[in-house]
Amino acid sequence: MIRPAVHRHARRASCVAAFLASLTTLVVPAHAAEAEGPLGLTSLELAFTEALALIALACLFVPLSKRFGLGTVIGYLVAGVAAGAVLRLSYAEHPEKLLHFAEFGVVLFLFVIGLEFRPRRLWELRTTIFGRGLVQVLACGLVLGGAAYTFGLDWRAAMIVGLGLALSSTALVMREIDEGGERRTPFGETAIAVLLFEDLAIVPLLLLVTLIAPTGAETTTVENVVAVALGLAAIAFLIAVGRYGLDPMFRMVARTRTPELMTAAALGVVIFASLVMALTGLSYAMGAFIAGMMLADSAFRHEVEADIEPFRALFLGLFFVAVGLSLDLGGVADNWLVILAAVPVLIVLKGIAIYLVSRLFGSPNELATRIAFAMAQHGEFGFVLFAAASSALILDGETASVVVSIVTLSMALSSQSDRAYRWVVGTPAREVLDEDYADAGGSVLVIGFGRVGQMVAQPLIARGVPITLLDHDANRIREAERFGARVHYGDGTRREVLHAAGAGEARAIVVATDDPVTTLAVASLVRHEFPGAELLVRAHDRIHAVRLANEGVATIVRETLASALELGGRTLHALGYTLEEIEETTATIHNRDERLLAEQTAMARGRHDRDAIVDAITPEPLTHTERADMNQGPA
């Protein structure tokens, strides 16, 4: 079901309102709402002002953190540190109250993680996730916990510190994998499997904090057995409710067609499951995780996740702000030398442990080294675990502040992990295949056999046009061989490779490479070395098209233009417009766009840097006259 945009905005506004209202009631007793504070503000107005200050700091530091490649978590932490150091807030005087309130974000986060982990999927990947992932976390926890114990922490604190530091940053590692397009590589698949286990591991680790927390009273064996039995009974109860009760409930709520009621039901499920687990002495987060897993296969899973997401993001951001607020800055200042020394030592120790585990599981040296560098930093789950341990009195405030500072610095340094890897092992040599061009020499040479090049080749093959396919990715060439396609290995930026591939005899040369910089280099080389061939080049976007035009390329095809116009045309057809009206409109838009592109190319002539081109061209939206000429209405 697609909701009107006004409903979505209203719901987001209500999320923010609920967030602010809850934040103020956290520190403002009802009977004191009218008491006057500084500047004549009532307590309620002062609390709203403080909430606004936190929001303003988050809006300042989070974008800066993302801009420097550090991620949002560090931005929220810095916002909290700044609030505690610069502003006189009631939250800074009692940060534990804000932290306890904001832990609801962790509960919602674990619920969303549960939604992502279908039991069937976990069972299919059980060997990789629960084998390698478990061994890596335990090995890193043992090494880092041993270092903490040697430094003087008691065994409980050392265990939690070691296991917390053993967890890597899912956000940072996944960003590196996605930026390199390596999800399906051995590196990507291995790292993702371990990260999946670490995401799951936070649930038993939070439970471990509850179990080993000093209670001040000895418990008997019978009491321990009863506690375990109650916990297992609560888990069984939640599984039964999830299996037989949640789908009927959400189906009934969905029939009301009341979006806010669906949101309330989703939040109610999280709170109910958390309370059930808390009543048996287990963690709120574990109940939320189980509830999420029970909904993972539900037809309402995506709807529930969309409803929970605004609350999860707000409260989790607030949680990290509260962690920053609760930092003992005095303790950090007293231990700054220890922190600076511990960060590289712990990163190296963790990296060595990860390398040895990877080798134990059969990874080659290069892959094991790459995984060690990528996952040697500590992760955002450490903040969650250390906050829970501090609340449970396992870690004192100063120790918690020190380890949070260590995690923060390690995450900041992780942006340089790939550079450090290249510096240690050198730039890995690209896999070289035999450059055999004995059967090359078709009428058309297609350079680049990725997602665009494959589609370009199909109509040519269908018409029996002899073509030569060239690509420099060994994995892609092997993949093509599985489907019976003959792709020659070679670098299209090398003159001798193009000559060997038959560029001198080709009637047309198509450049369909993935990287814009490579595309520019190949197109420039072809235009100067093989002027007799018709040159057709794939452009990634409008700016890339302008840069290609500045290189003298005549035939440029933007990869998204045709698909976008077709999608727009099909949308018009769904609204009732005739095929003739659609063809006329899309043709007009296409012709106007080509004219505008030619004008913008002229404006940017002589400019080759992307930013310089953006500054030179002027966007021209449709005028009222142009819209009126095309707007004939539906048939």
Side-chain angles (χ1 to χ4, degrees), residues 21-45:
S22 302
L23 201 57
T24 55
T25 56
L26 175 67
V27 294
V28 182
H31 61 81
E34 297 303 322
E36 288 195 2
L39 303 177
L41 298 174
T42 66
S43 298
L44 181 62
E45 291 167 341

Side-chain angles (χ1 to χ4, degrees), residues 7-25 48 51-52 55-56 59 101 263 267 307-315 318:
H7 283 186
R8 292 196 298 271
H9 295 315
R11 288 171 60 198
R12 284 186 172 86
S14 68
C15 290
V16 175
F19 168 69
L20 289 173
S22 302
L23 201 57
T24 55
T25 56
F48 269 111
L52 180 61
I55 292 173
C59 290
F101 173 74
T263 303
L267 286 172
D307 290 334
I308 289 292
E309 180 60 27
F311 295 93
R312 182 203 66 82
L314 278 172
F315 278 95
L318 178 62

Side-chain angles (χ1 to χ4, degrees), residues 438-522:
D439 57 345
S443 301
V444 178
L445 172 61
V446 178
I447 304 172
F449 198 63
R451 57 187 177 89
V452 174
Q454 292 167 22
M455 295 302 297
V456 169
Q458 289 190 25
L460 301 175
I461 294 172
R463 282 291 183 176
V465 176
I467 64 173
T468 299
L469 304 172
L470 184 69
D471 201 287
H472 70 294
D473 189 323
N475 292 328
R476 187 175 294 159
I477 290 173
R478 287 204 181 91
E479 190 69 20
E481 289 174 352
R482 292 177 51 208
F483 297 94
R486 173 72 164 99
V487 181
H488 296 81
Y489 176 81
D491 185 352
T493 61
R494 292 168 53 194
R495 182 183 295 104
E496 62 273 19
V497 169
L498 295 182
H499 273 291
E505 295 77 35
R507 293 170 55 190
I509 298 177
V510 179
V511 182
T513 45
D514 294 332
D515 179 51
V517 176
T518 302
T519 301
L520 282 167
V522 175

Side-chain angles (χ1 to χ4, degrees), residues 207 210-212 215 219-236 276-283 286:
L207 177 61
T210 304
L211 294 177
I212 68 172
T215 60
T219 58
T220 65
T221 303
V222 174
E223 289 173 332
N224 288 331
V225 171
V226 170
V228 171
L230 284 175
L232 293 176
I235 293 173
V276 168
M277 297 305 289
L279 289 174
T280 61
L282 301 179
S283 70
M286 187 172 185

Side-chain angles (χ1 to χ4, degrees), residues 258-277:
T258 308
E260 61 271 20
L261 192 58
M262 181 67 79
T263 303
L267 286 172
V269 167
V270 178
I271 295 171
F272 170 77
S274 300
L275 287 176
V276 168
M277 297 305 289

Side-chain angles (χ1 to χ4, degrees), residues 184-205:
R184 296 186 178 181
T185 64
F187 162 68
E189 290 176 348
T190 303
I192 289 172
V194 175
L195 290 173
L196 288 176
F197 176 82
E198 291 182 359
D199 287 350
L200 285 173
I202 190 62
V203 179
L205 288 180

